[in-house]
Amino acid sequence: MLMIDQLKERARKNKKTIILPESMDKRIFQAAEIILKDGLADLIIIGTPQEVEENSKGCDITGATIIDPNTYEKTKEYEDLFVEIRKSKGLTHEEARKQLLSDYTTFGCLMLKAGDADGLVSGACHSTADTLRPALQIIRTKPGTRLVSGFFVVEVPGSEFGENGVFVFADCSIEQNPDPEKLAHIAISSAESFKFIVGGVPRVAMLSHSSKGSAKHPDVTKVVEATKIAQQLAPNLYIDGELQLDAALVPEIGASKAPGSDVAGQANVLVFPDLDAANIGYKLVQRLAKANAYGPMCQGIAKPVNDLSRGCSYKDIVGVVAITAIQAAGEDN
């Protein structure tokens, strides 16, 4: 059974309500049909009747709750909540209402903040910034969280590497060029996300173009420092670096380049040194190895809000919704 099928089964067992605010995108309705048919989540789709009718043609979304912000009975309540949250920034009621009616992701985040849903998935036709900005303004971060970061759950069919071909890649979407401390926190958060979503023991490789001092450069030093910080902050986790990708994945190369490592040759969580490397890396694996890549998922927000790649398929959206529902179920525990 593929990992995503296992995740879907978990989502079915503890069904949650997920908001889809991008009613202007056909893929959302194609995904919604499958989600509803398979019982993965209850859905709220935000949009006007015209938007929903135009973009849902040919899709059976029976069972979805359609909410038009222009006529919804709680829109004024959300407007008041928004003004209260942003009063220190001088947000007026007029400005709040204008944003609510024009930006469905903002509307959805306020629904989530009010407790009227369990999670939100956006990004099929919006940038990561447009998805995360309202989430951070309205829902904010989990208590004790040092930063919000992003990750992909990547499943490579038939691969002997990782956790039966399953990996977490981070940070592919948010932190452009993290310093050593941020990179360390990304590693720890990604290990926890792997443990919760994928299961099994996370083994975190701090990736570089160098393995254990084979090259000298400030970029290498950053990864070495990040590894030390992560090991000090989370001594119970398997975290090692700096490691080249082949040393992280291939047992015989890991044994040669990093003898004695608990991670080399066994890594299932890949932490890239910057956003360029991470984003390029996951897309290479997705397109050339025909891997399934679900995300970017977010870690560190107080309630589950997840992004999508604008190049996603409707099947990718189904997977991200299932994972979002699992994250929401975890918030209850």
Side-chain angles (χ1 to χ4, degrees):
M1 179 184 290
L2 291 175
M3 179 272 301
I4 191 61
D5 294 324
Q6 298 174 18
L7 294 177
K8 288 177 179 179
E9 187 58 34
R10 286 171 63 187
R12 287 187 196 97
K13 289 180 179 178
N14 195 350
K15 191 184 290 188
K16 294 298 177 181
T17 299
I18 307 300
I19 300 167
L20 299 175
E22 294 178 305
S23 57
M24 63 293 296
D25 195 299
K26 176 74 172 179
R27 291 169 294 176
I28 294 298
F29 295 97
Q30 292 172 319
E33 180 175 14
I34 295 172
I35 292 162
L36 294 167
K37 181 179 178 181
D38 290 354
L40 304 180
D42 293 323
L43 294 180
I44 294 173
I45 300 174
I46 302 174
T48 65
Q50 294 80 9
E51 288 168 330
V52 172
E53 181 180 2
E54 179 180 350
N55 294 302
S56 67
K57 288 178 180 177
C59 300
D60 181 1
I61 56 169
T62 303
T65 299
I66 308 299
I67 290 179
D68 180 357
N70 297 282
T71 58
Y72 189 50
E73 60 188 16
K74 287 191 173 184
T75 295
K76 182 60 169 66
E77 178 183 321
Y78 298 151
E79 176 190 323
D80 293 341
L81 176 60
F82 196 17
V83 170
E84 176 62 25
I85 291 170
R86 301 291 288 171
K87 63 182 178 183
S88 65
K89 302 297 182 181
L91 183 69
T92 66
H93 279 274
E94 181 181 358
E95 292 167 339
R97 188 170 186 85
K98 182 178 179 181
Q99 188 168 341
L100 278 178
L101 298 182
S102 63
D103 183 355
Y104 296 165
T105 301
T106 295
F107 190 93
C109 285
L110 286 160
M111 291 191 73
L112 203 53
K113 182 72 171 181
D116 293 332
D118 302 304
L120 180 146
V121 173
S122 185
C125 55
H126 290 85
S127 68
T128 294
D130 288 339
T131 296
L132 293 186
R133 188 184 305 109
L136 293 175
Q137 289 177 347
I138 296 164
I139 301 169
R140 299 177 179 169
T141 59
K142 287 182 180 178
T145 296
R146 298 294 296 272
L147 82 164
V148 173
S149 57
F151 67 95
F152 272 82
V153 177
V154 178
E155 183 175 27
V156 186
S159 174
E160 70 271 31
F161 303 125
E163 191 76 11
N164 298 315
V166 178
F167 302 86
V168 160
F169 284 29
D171 175 351
C172 306
S173 61
I174 299 175
E175 283 292 331
Q176 179 67 49
N177 190 16
D179 61 26
E181 186 173 359
K182 286 184 176 181
L183 198 58
H185 284 286
I186 289 168
I188 294 167
S189 294
S190 299
E192 294 300 326
S193 292
F194 180 93
K195 191 185 303 182
F196 177 68
I197 294 172
V198 181
V201 177
R203 296 183 185 272
V204 184
M206 308 294 282
L207 297 179
S208 173
H209 68 274
S210 170
S211 288
K212 298 297 184 178
S214 65
K216 303 295 182 184
H217 190 275
D219 289 346
V220 177
T221 301
K222 179 180 85 167
V223 177
V224 172
E225 292 177 0
T227 302
K228 291 177 181 177
I229 294 169
Q231 290 170 338
Q232 291 168 357
L233 292 174
N236 58 315
L237 294 175
Y238 294 114
I239 301 175
D240 200 10
E242 84 287 14
L243 292 171
Q244 293 166 299
L245 182 66
D246 56 355
L249 296 183
V250 184
E252 55 269 28
I253 297 177
S256 172
K257 293 186 175 183
S261 172
D262 290 321
V263 173
Q266 307 174 69
N268 47 31
V269 178
L270 304 181
V271 177
F272 293 79
D274 58 37
L275 181 57
D276 287 337
N279 192 270
I280 292 167
Y282 102 76
K283 287 183 177 177
L284 274 171
V285 175
Q286 181 185 35
R287 300 303 178 182
L288 298 186
K290 301 189 184 303
N292 299 309
Y294 302 103
M297 315 300 297
C298 298
Q299 47 197 9
I301 300 176
K303 292 190 176 184
V305 174
N306 287 314
D307 194 15
L308 294 163
S309 168
R310 280 173 287 176
C312 67
S313 70
Y314 71 90
K315 292 180 181 178
D316 295 332
I317 299 171
V318 173
V320 171
V321 168
I323 296 171
T324 304
I326 291 169
Q327 288 177 316
E331 296 292 327
D332 296 340
N333 299 326

